[in-house]
Each structure stands twice: as C-alpha cells, then as structure tokens.
Amino acid sequence: MKKIVLFACITMMLCQACKPKQEKQLENKQFNFVTSDHVSLPVKVSGKGDVCMFVPGGPGGGYLSFEQLGGNKLEGFLTMIYMDQRGSGSAQNARDYSMDRLLKDMDDVRAKLGVDKMYLMSHSFGGVIMVNYAKKYPQHVKGLILVNSALYFFSPDALAEQISYGYKLLGKDTVIKAKNPDSLFAGDMAVRAKLSKVHLGYKLLTDSIKTIGVFDKLDSLHPRTNDFAYKILAPVLDKTKKMTYPEYFKDYNTITPDINVPVLVITGTNDHAVGPNTYKLAKFPNQKVVKIDGGHLLYYENNSAFVDAVKNFIKDQSVN
C-alpha cells in the first residue's frame, strides 16, 4: 500500500513539473523606475492575464494617449505594462538615447516586475524599438503585436507613397521619380508644409479632424518632453548636425525572418502615416495579419475591431 501511495505522489510531482510555468498575477500599480544611469521613467501596471509591455510611437510619444483612448480596453484580458521611454512622454531627459540603452530600460523594468516572458505591443515608430528588443532578448518574448507599426523609419517606399497621397489631397497628380532617401524626405517635408497651409496635414493620420481634437486636448492636459525625438531627428532635419544615433534609421524588416515568436500585425487600410502597404515588408515566420478599415489611430477610431484582433490572437496562443 505504501509503495502505491509513494508511486502516486511521484507521478503527481512529475505531472506538476511538466506543466508550463505560470506567471504570477502582477499587482496593479504606478511608480517611477529609476534606471542604472539615474533617469526616472513613469511605469503603470494595469489589467489581468498575460503580461504585455506597450512600446509607444513618436519618436517621443508617451503611453498616455494609447492607454486613455482605447488601449485600456485590453486590460480585461492582458496585464498591460505602460512605460514612457527616456526623453519621451513624462519621463526625464537623458544623455544616452542609444538603442541598446532603451532596450536595457525595457528589460530592467521587466526584471523589476519579476516577469519571465511577456508579449510586446508597439504603435508606429515603436515597432523599430520593439523588434530590436525581440532580437536581443528572445528568451523574454512570448509574442509581438504590431499596431500600425513601422520597422523602417523613413522608408523610401513609405515616403514615396506619402508624397503621392499628399498631392492627391491637394488635388494634384504627381509622378515620384526620386529614389534617393534624402530627396524623398525633402519631398515629403515639402508636401507636408503645403498640406498644413490648407489644414489637411491631419489626413496622413486620420480622416477625422475630431480625432485630432481629442488627441490634442489630451496632450494639452499632460505636457510632454520631446528630447528623445529632437536628439535623433535633428541631424535628419539639419544636415550640419552630427548623426549620433543612426541605428534608428535602419531597415529592421531584414531581421524579421530571425524572430520566431508568434506575431500579430494590425494594419490600417487608410494609414498614410506608415503607409498602407508597409506591413508587407515584414517577413516573420509565424505572423498573422489583420487589416482594419481606418487610419493610423485604429486603437481609438475602430477600438472594437482592434481589441477583438488582439483578444483572438492571445486566445490562439493559449490554445497552441
């Protein structure tokens, strides 16, 4: 009898050992995380379920607009980690804005919270940072969710599409002959200036001027720093300035075949901020693409479709 009981106990222990490790439910809280080089970053943990860290766009954007204008609807099934990057949102400015430093900040916050593996979700320019985290720290990545994200900042194809669309809004047909990235960037800045003069610049983000009003109102209530954006963009806008951080302008679609976690790509059919065809450049081995009608701010304007896409993706991973 004792042998039978002992055998049963051993069997139960082996079964428990074979079960996948369950992440503990994180405590919902807000705090300032101080980095190893003494930069204070605001962090908020909210929700329940699998852990997902949000990577804001911009460059220089904070998490607040995403969280308050629809991202918080994900908290019913995801534990969201919101975090402003150094020199962005309401975080402190810093001396070091290198890619490796930003990735370390993210990983240090993950470690501080005691998370082993997590999903990562990016919006817009945040895709550049997120995909590099997945490449550098694959052991801590459960899956990626790209929301209207770019993996190549100032992609020549995206710039050409933007110029063409801009002139279409101005009622002009144009043929883009330029291939040089600098020429395309100059052309893009020129058409943006013309759109601004006739108050149509918002059309690159959304078809609704009301949406811009909502975002502008939120930003006015929470002033943010733009130091990160300035430091990496200044040499692009002024060629007399030294390019300190060229890593942000590389084509990171090239590393997507090496990232083997499940990936959800959410793209807007009328997103002219990153381009409606930008998603086609990513070649993740295990990716699902969901197209949603709308522009660059789908998480707000078409929130139910956005939330459903993420929920279904997370549910599929729990079944597999």
Side-chain angles (χ1 to χ4, degrees), residues 60-99:
Y63 72 75
L64 199 63
S65 60
F66 175 81
E67 179 218 0
Q68 294 196 7
L69 298 178
N72 54 7
K73 295 295 176 64
L74 301 172
E75 295 169 15
F77 57 92
L78 284 174
T79 301
M80 296 297 298
I81 300 175
Y82 305 107
M83 166 185 156
D84 281 351
Q85 296 151 351
R86 53 182 55 215
S88 306
S90 58
Q92 283 187 332
N93 294 344
R95 293 189 177 189
D96 184 359
Y97 289 115
S98 64
M99 178 80 76

Side-chain angles (χ1 to χ4, degrees), residues 31-298:
F31 63 98
N32 285 329
F33 176 79
V34 180
T35 67
S36 58
D37 61 343
H38 313 295
V39 180
S40 180
L41 310 176
V43 178
K44 181 176 182 180
V45 180
S46 186
K48 60 183 180 181
D50 288 308
V51 177
C52 179
M53 179 180 283
F54 177 66
V55 186
Y63 72 75
L64 199 63
S65 60
F66 175 81
E67 179 218 0
Q68 294 196 7
L69 298 178
N72 54 7
K73 295 295 176 64
L74 301 172
E75 295 169 15
F77 57 92
L78 284 174
T79 301
M80 296 297 298
I81 300 175
Y82 305 107
M83 166 185 156
D84 281 351
Q85 296 151 351
R86 53 182 55 215
S88 306
S90 58
Q92 283 187 332
N93 294 344
R95 293 189 177 189
D96 184 359
Y97 289 115
S98 64
M99 178 80 76
D100 281 344
R101 182 65 249 194
L102 265 68
L103 301 183
K104 178 172 170 52
D105 290 346
M106 292 168 62
D107 199 58
D108 286 350
V109 169
R110 174 203 61 77
K112 170 74 173 178
L113 292 170
V115 177
D116 180 29
K117 282 199 169 190
M118 61 186 178
Y119 288 100
L120 288 161
M121 177 183 293
S122 65
H123 181 250
S124 195
F125 171 80
V128 168
I129 298 170
M130 182 184 73
V131 78
N132 276 280
Y133 181 94
K135 178 70 173 176
K136 187 172 183 178
Y137 301 102
Q139 70 275 24
H140 297 306
V141 179
K142 200 168 186 178
L144 302 179
I145 303 169
L146 290 79
V147 184
N148 298 90
S149 294
L151 302 183
Y152 187 5
F153 199 34
F154 297 144
S155 156
D157 289 340
L159 288 172
E161 191 278 330
Q162 222 169 58
I163 295 168
S164 180
Y165 182 71
Y167 280 111
K168 183 179 178 181
L169 291 173
L170 294 167
K172 300 177 181 179
D173 291 326
T174 184
V175 177
I176 312 300
K177 294 181 179 180
K179 299 294 182 181
N180 180 276
D182 287 341
S183 298
L184 286 167
F185 181 75
D188 189 61
M189 291 297 100
V191 76
R192 283 173 179 268
K194 291 177 181 179
L195 288 170
S196 291
K197 284 185 178 180
V198 293
H199 308 293
L200 288 176
Y202 71 91
K203 289 278 188 178
L204 296 175
L205 292 172
T206 172
D207 282 332
S208 173
I209 189 66
K210 291 182 179 179
T211 296
I212 299 301
V214 171
F215 276 76
D216 285 348
K217 182 178 180 180
L218 185 60
D219 279 345
S220 69
L221 296 173
H222 304 276
R224 69 188 191 192
T225 179
N226 291 300
D227 197 54
F228 171 52
Y230 174 76
K231 290 292 172 56
I232 70 169
L233 290 176
V236 178
L237 300 171
D238 182 354
K239 295 300 182 183
T240 65
K241 296 184 180 297
K242 180 182 177 182
M243 174 64 77
T244 308
Y245 303 110
E247 63 264 38
Y248 290 105
F249 303 98
K250 295 180 180 179
D251 181 2
Y252 290 110
N253 289 288
T254 58
I255 69 173
T256 57
D258 301 323
I259 298 174
N260 292 301
V261 296
V263 176
L264 171 64
V265 178
I266 297 177
T267 181
T269 56
N270 199 35
D271 179 3
H272 297 282
V274 301
N277 295 308
T278 293
Y279 75 95
K280 295 179 181 178
L281 299 175
K283 304 297 180 184
F284 297 102
N286 184 13
Q287 74 176 31
K288 175 183 179 182
V289 176
V290 175
K291 298 180 184 179
I292 297 177
D293 290 336
H296 194 57
L297 305 170
L298 292 174

Side-chain angles (χ1 to χ4, degrees), residues 1-15:
M1 182 66 180
K2 289 182 179 179
K3 289 183 177 180
I4 294 175
V5 173
L6 179 61
F7 178 77
C9 289
I10 293 173
T11 302
M12 289 177 64
M13 289 170 65
L14 287 172
C15 288

